Amino acid sequence: HKSARYNLAHNYILLKDYKNSLKSINSLLKTEPTVAVYKMRAYCYEKLKDYRKSNNDYKVCITILEKNLKNEN
């Protein structure tokens, strides 16, 4: 189940208000550093044409996924 802050960030994205979405996401990452949240932030950075930050967040997603795969084995 998603948190209220996650839903708020997602709703800002639906409204194409990426700057406010980033504020919610950055707050959310302090307690919920998940792939879904990093992916959402990467998307916002991409829409704001900050491709370096977007790419960095997508790399974090890959790192988290790789770590999860190693922990499963």
Side-chain angles (χ1 to χ4, degrees):
H1 118 281
K2 303 292 182 191
S3 71
R5 285 185 294 179
Y6 182 95
N7 290 331
L8 178 63
H10 185 260
N11 286 332
Y12 278 131
I13 288 172
L14 293 176
L15 295 170
K16 297 183 175 163
D17 186 349
Y18 304 112
K19 289 183 181 182
N20 276 319
S21 183
L22 282 172
K23 289 178 186 177
S24 295
I25 292 167
N26 288 333
S27 173
L28 183 59
L29 280 172
K30 294 174 185 174
T31 59
E32 235 178 286
T34 64
V35 170
V37 180
Y38 276 104
K39 189 170 134 185
M40 193 182 335
R41 187 169 76 172
Y43 177 80
C44 288
Y45 283 137
E46 189 175 328
K47 288 299 193 177
L48 293 170
K49 299 186 183 331
D50 192 336
Y51 301 116
R52 184 185 57 80
K53 287 182 180 177
S54 177
N55 189 46
N56 286 341
D57 277 353
Y58 283 127
K59 286 179 182 178
V60 171
C61 291
I62 292 168
T63 300
I64 293 170
L65 291 170
E66 288 174 340
K67 184 179 176 185
N68 291 344
L69 282 174
K70 287 179 185 175
N71 289 339
E72 289 179 5
N73 295 325

